[in-house]
Amino acid sequence: MKIQTPVYYGDYLQLPKILNAQAPESTKYGKTAHDETLFIIIHQAYELWFKQILHELNSVREIMQQPFVPSTDLSVIIARIERVTTIQQLLIDQIQVMETMTSLDFMEFRDFLVPASGFQSIQFKLIEAILGIKAQHRMEVEKQFFNSRLKAEDKKLLEAEEARISIFELLEAWLERMPFSQFEDFDFWGEYSHAVDKMLKQDREIISNNPVLDDRTRTMELKNLDMTQNTFNTLLDSRLYSAWQGEGKVRLSQKAMLSAVFIYLYRDYPALQMPFRILNALVEVDEKFTTWRYRHAIMVQRILGTKIGTGGSSGHEYLRSTTERNRAFIDFFNLATFLIPKSMIPALPQNIKDQLDIVYDSFRP
Ligand code: HEM
């Protein structure tokens, strides 16, 4: 290979563009606020990382969009999602740098920024949408803000992204296609149901015989156990499960949820290790965004108190509610409800074990 033109570091990275892209608003008003440079650079650094996250998530979507996802692609999916979570950790840690700016420092230039706001970070909204948080999952106030505060071209971009299939939807379809919900000559879910009954019976005995509990607490704990029983019943009954979906308690289809439970229970088998790591990595993406949202909300409270944001929202209050609500993979957090102790998990027949196994050792007892 013959090198065409020698590459120069600054030109390759287009540094003249990037390093001349900091223009404090306060300068335009005649008195440059020292901390505004930090404020701009932090936001720019975030936006660059958001771009990288979108690059990774778009490629994950492309792989998952294939009608048949070959198992050799699974490790690529995992590596890219894990890169996203590593970047997210950096984003969480960067909040500390932002917090070196105090309320008073911020007040020196805050008013010049109205009505701009992190609300208008189109890349942040695109990340939410590609993961699976679309208009119908957002709070009313959030939707209204988009309609009134986003530039027409950004609104168009977001609508186009929302019209595309999300990673949540692709994951759901992939789980539905997995052949684990039904086995020809083995009633796995019947066995699982027996194991659950056994576990709940044990729990009931422990509560009933616990000498430390007074009658009121015992009755309450037994009632909670009845609720747990109902939750398990719902998982296995398509009519009850649909009702749950109708009430918005769960988004994931029953078929996909059953596959996911199977993967979580038997994740030690080689065939299920990669699917388990994918589910786990996506839960990690959600958890890291939730942590970021929470840290950002606390920082906002520290810097703004109860003032409204430059974007006009109730500031801390609004951010706290998106922290709780905007999670694409919440169903996979709640999936832990359906797990049972390892010692009680039904043993699989040999022919199914063989399908899930890879034998690495030539010595097989
Ligand atoms: C002094 C520092 C900061 C303050 C006081 C602040 C304040 C706020 C407030 C009050 C909101 C709610 C919308 C509004 O009314 O404006 C908001 C939203 C947002 N901010 Fe910040 N922010 C700060 C730094 C950052 C940084 C460094 C980022 C990184 C990109 C960021 C990203 C966002 C995003 C993405 C939203 C929308 C969140 C959502 O809709 O769930 N903010 N910010």
Side-chain angles (χ1 to χ4, degrees), residues 104-120:
L104 284 182
D105 298 327
F106 187 41
M107 280 176 178
E108 287 300 309
F109 61 93
R110 174 177 186 261
D111 289 348
F112 303 139
L113 310 183
V114 174
S117 154
F119 243 161
Q120 295 160 333

Side-chain angles (χ1 to χ4, degrees), residues 191-247:
E191 296 287 323
Y192 168 80
S193 189
H194 284 146
V196 169
D197 288 346
K198 200 169 143 199
M199 176 185 79
L200 293 177
K201 194 166 161 242
Q202 254 182 32
D203 289 351
R204 205 171 292 280
E205 274 168 21
I206 293 171
I207 298 171
S208 304
N209 301 325
N210 186 347
V212 183
L213 299 180
D214 58 50
D215 282 351
R216 220 178 115 250
T217 320
R218 195 186 316 281
T219 311
M220 202 181 72
E221 289 198 6
L222 287 171
K223 228 169 139 190
N224 285 343
L225 208 59
D226 289 341
M227 274 160 60
T228 311
Q229 174 88 61
N230 285 342
T231 311
F232 278 105
N233 295 346
T234 306
L235 172 69
L236 299 173
D237 182 313
S238 57
R239 207 177 35 85
L240 294 175
Y241 194 94
S242 306
W244 245 16
Q245 280 183 305
E247 290 164 31

Side-chain angles (χ1 to χ4, degrees), residues 63 66 68-79 174 274 278:
I63 297 172
Q66 302 171 95
F68 171 77
V69 184
S71 59
T72 41
D73 281 356
L74 300 187
S75 63
V76 179
I77 295 179
I78 294 168
W174 183 58
M274 296 251 242
I278 291 180

Side-chain angles (χ1 to χ4, degrees), residues 111-210:
D111 289 348
F112 303 139
L113 310 183
V114 174
S117 154
F119 243 161
Q120 295 160 333
S121 167
I122 188 64
Q123 292 201 103
F124 189 79
K125 297 294 157 199
L126 293 177
I127 293 173
E128 289 185 330
I130 191 172
L131 287 172
I133 303 164
K134 300 194 175 180
Q136 66 266 32
H137 308 115
R138 297 190 189 281
M139 290 182 297
E140 213 33 59
V141 52
E142 210 181 343
K143 282 189 259 178
Q144 278 166 19
F145 269 109
F146 291 152
N147 286 332
S148 58
R149 303 293 159 98
L150 279 188
K151 271 187 181 168
E153 68 231 49
D154 283 347
K155 235 194 282 179
K156 237 170 144 180
L157 262 178
L158 185 59
E159 279 164 11
E161 181 55 61
E162 288 184 341
R164 294 184 67 186
I165 193 155
S166 68
I167 292 180
F168 174 88
E169 290 162 296
L170 288 165
L171 182 73
E172 181 178 55
W174 183 58
L175 287 168
E176 284 174 357
R177 296 200 302 274
M178 278 187 195
F180 302 132
S181 304
Q182 215 83 51
F183 296 103
E184 262 172 28
D185 38 0
F186 174 58
D187 176 18
F188 169 72
W189 295 107
E191 296 287 323
Y192 168 80
S193 189
H194 284 146
V196 169
D197 288 346
K198 200 169 143 199
M199 176 185 79
L200 293 177
K201 194 166 161 242
Q202 254 182 32
D203 289 351
R204 205 171 292 280
E205 274 168 21
I206 293 171
I207 298 171
S208 304
N209 301 325
N210 186 347

Side-chain angles (χ1 to χ4, degrees), residues 241-271:
Y241 194 94
S242 306
W244 245 16
Q245 280 183 305
E247 290 164 31
K249 288 188 178 155
V250 65
R251 261 179 84 189
L252 199 65
S253 72
Q254 187 195 20
K255 202 163 178 216
M257 181 64 98
L258 289 174
S259 286
V261 171
F262 190 85
I263 291 169
Y264 268 65
L265 291 176
Y266 297 100
R267 63 192 179 205
D268 290 339
Y269 281 97

Side-chain angles (χ1 to χ4, degrees), residues 39 42-43 46-47 50 98 101 106 116-119 121 124-125 128 142 292-293 296 299-300 303-304 308-313 315-316 318-319 322 326:
F39 189 78
I42 284 244
H43 279 84
Y46 268 102
E47 291 294 338
F50 289 162
M98 188 78 269
M101 181 181 79
F106 187 41
S117 154
F119 243 161
S121 167
F124 189 79
K125 297 294 157 199
E128 289 185 330
E142 210 181 343
W292 182 83
R293 286 177 201 275
H296 171 263
M299 172 193 71
V300 169
I303 291 186
L304 287 185
I308 59 162
T310 46
S313 81
H316 175 69
Y318 163 78
L319 294 168
T322 56
N326 287 8

